[in-house]
Amino acid sequence: MNTPQFEDITYERRNAAALITINRPQRYNAFRAQTVEELIKAFKMAWADRGVQAVILTGAGEKAFCSGGDVKQRAETGDYGPSESGLFEIGLLHKTIRDIPKPVIAAVNGIAIGGGHVLHVLCDLTIASSTARFGQSGPKVGSFDAGFGSAYLARIVGEKRAREIWYLCRQYDAETAKSWGLVNEVVAPEKLIDEALAWADEIAEKSPTAIRFLKQSFNADTDHQAGLSNLAMSALDLFGKSEEGLEGAKAFAEKRPADFAKYVKA
């Protein structure tokens, strides 16, 4: 199997784990269309590799796991940039994380905000650095995730907490996230990847067939949310190109508060 040449991510085998790292620290590991496409390819590589029993997803550097979609890119071009397929396949990435028959461990090393927060929520397990911070930013920058990012989040933390996270766009520390059930474990920053690898090693000792069926069983309860996700992605594609959606992106790029006042409807 030929290993693809990646620009926005890195991929490596560590024992029985595939370690996938979003490698755009200069943009707080925000993803553009190319990043998403590379992540899908990497997850499929891990899926096909019989020696991989778990996948670890993390971000390069100490500041960010992932800050979501590249809002600066959207402000510059009105979209998330080019990709091989010509599509922005974030919905397919979400589906791939759920469908890969191996546990996916998010190793959150800094901020997990916006679409980056959705990625960690979709992972089977989350281990966080004590310096990690969690939250949403969509309504601040003219974006939203009305699919897994909200409906599935509510399954994890409950309706009231999920609505707080989305409506207020606050940031929460790792211990708060753990107390809400968003995070499985909190460790010192220098121990993060080692801890994630240790969890992956424990998984590798178990029956891979049993693990596959368990993951599919857990997912079956929320598979109907995939329909919501498809609707949400279609709506977001239209909204992101609207005047209101672009105002959020432009305000972020220009480092000013967004002015949504004229979009208030009776």
Side-chain angles (χ1 to χ4, degrees):
M1 180 179 178
N2 293 327
T3 302
Q5 294 299 309
F6 295 126
E7 181 182 351
D8 286 9
I9 71 167
T10 63
Y11 179 97
E12 58 181 305
R13 274 283 304 276
R14 296 275 195 97
N15 300 330
L19 177 60
I20 300 173
T21 304
I22 303 172
N23 191 29
R24 304 186 77 219
Q26 74 282 5
R27 290 284 177 105
Y28 287 85
N29 295 321
F31 51 74
R32 53 182 177 170
Q34 179 179 331
T35 319
V36 170
E37 200 163 56
E38 291 183 7
L39 285 168
I40 293 168
K41 288 180 181 178
F43 273 100
K44 287 183 177 180
M45 285 172 58
W47 191 330
D49 188 340
R50 290 191 173 190
V52 170
Q53 299 301 314
V55 180
I56 298 168
L57 178 64
T58 193
E62 299 176 356
K63 294 182 178 180
F65 168 73
C66 177
S67 58
D70 192 334
V71 182
K72 287 186 178 179
Q73 172 80 44
R74 189 156 68 91
E76 291 164 4
T77 65
D79 58 21
Y80 288 104
S83 65
E84 271 184 34
S85 68
L87 301 172
F88 179 53
E89 299 190 282
I90 189 64
L92 179 57
L93 175 59
H94 292 175
K95 186 176 187 300
T96 304
I97 290 172
R98 282 175 62 86
D99 286 353
I100 183 173
K102 304 171 184 186
V104 181
I105 303 168
V108 180
N109 49 310
I111 60 171
I113 300 295
H117 188 261
V118 175
L119 291 183
H120 108 83
V121 165
L122 281 166
C123 291
D124 297 276
L125 302 164
T126 297
I127 300 172
S129 160
S130 58
T131 58
R133 297 189 70 81
F134 301 83
Q136 266 307 327
S137 60
K140 289 174 66 175
V141 297
S143 184
F144 58 83
D145 185 329
F148 285 121
S150 51
Y152 185 57
L153 176 65
R155 287 293 184 100
I156 295 172
V157 300
E159 287 280 350
K160 295 291 186 179
R161 290 295 189 193
R163 291 171 193 246
E164 175 187 331
I165 288 168
W166 272 102
Y167 293 170
L168 302 184
C169 297
R170 293 174 176 171
Q171 292 187 16
Y172 305 92
D173 63 28
E175 289 295 343
T176 299
K178 184 180 178 183
S179 71
W180 287 2
L182 266 174
V183 165
N184 297 91
E185 190 61 85
V186 178
V187 298
E190 66 274 11
K191 296 181 179 179
L192 179 64
I193 297 301
D194 286 344
E195 186 71 12
L197 288 167
W199 283 49
D201 286 343
E202 279 195 59
I203 289 168
E205 295 170 355
K206 312 303 187 293
S207 160
T209 303
I211 294 291
R212 180 174 76 247
F213 276 104
L214 283 166
K215 178 163 182 174
Q216 290 169 348
S217 178
F218 285 126
N219 285 351
D221 182 50
T222 52
D223 272 347
H224 66 282
Q225 292 178 356
L228 293 175
S229 182
N230 290 337
L231 284 171
M233 293 304 165
S234 295
L236 182 58
D237 184 52
L238 293 173
F239 177 68
K241 296 171 184 174
S242 70
E243 186 179 288
E244 182 180 350
L246 288 172
E247 162 60 16
K250 289 175 181 175
F252 179 86
E254 294 167 8
K255 298 182 179 180
R256 61 172 174 81
D259 182 6
F260 293 120
K262 67 179 179 179
Y263 305 108
V264 176
K265 295 177 176 62

